[in-house]
Amino acid sequence: MSLWKKLFGGGEAAKAPAAEALEYEGFRITPEPIDEGGQYRVCAVIEREMDGETKTHRLIRADLIREYDVCVEASVNKAKQMIDQMGMGLFRA
């Protein structure tokens, strides 16, 4: 039955515990590698306070990495790259 859930979106892979958030160019980056059965998917949450409201962008990449710490680093680096390229455009609908 779990195969059907994976194929049709009935379940989501468990997340490993989130690493510590850090500040970058006025944005807050929280790396959240997703456990994918022994490997970790690059994932991070990017947040910024705007007009008293917290805007959030969730970055999920196809990249799988075997080591959690390496994946945390890759998640942070990818989030920084997106901030550098898109800035506040990350939060446009």
Side-chain angles (χ1 to χ4, degrees):
M1 188 66 136
S2 74
L3 173 63
W4 294 111
K5 285 183 180 181
K6 287 182 182 179
L7 288 174
F8 297 108
E12 183 178 323
K15 285 189 251 176
E20 189 172 321
L22 63 112
E23 298 291 324
Y24 178 75
E25 302 291 328
F27 293 81
R28 183 174 44 251
I29 301 170
T30 306
E32 294 184 347
I34 299 171
D35 186 350
E36 294 278 347
Q39 297 186 67
Y40 297 93
R41 184 168 309 280
V42 171
C43 179
V45 174
I46 303 169
E47 298 175 307
R48 182 155 183 167
E49 192 77 25
M50 292 174 52
D51 302 322
E53 182 181 348
T54 301
K55 299 288 186 177
T56 302
H57 176 83
R58 186 169 176 85
L59 165 72
I60 302 175
R61 301 284 300 170
D63 312 64
L64 291 174
I65 299 174
R66 289 181 190 236
E67 297 174 26
Y68 180 79
D69 293 337
V70 175
C71 191
V72 166
E73 184 178 339
S75 298
V76 168
N77 289 337
K78 183 51 75 173
K80 287 180 178 180
Q81 180 183 10
M82 290 202 61
I83 291 167
D84 291 341
Q85 291 175 351
M86 299 184 70
M88 296 304 288
L90 284 168
F91 307 116
R92 291 191 188 125

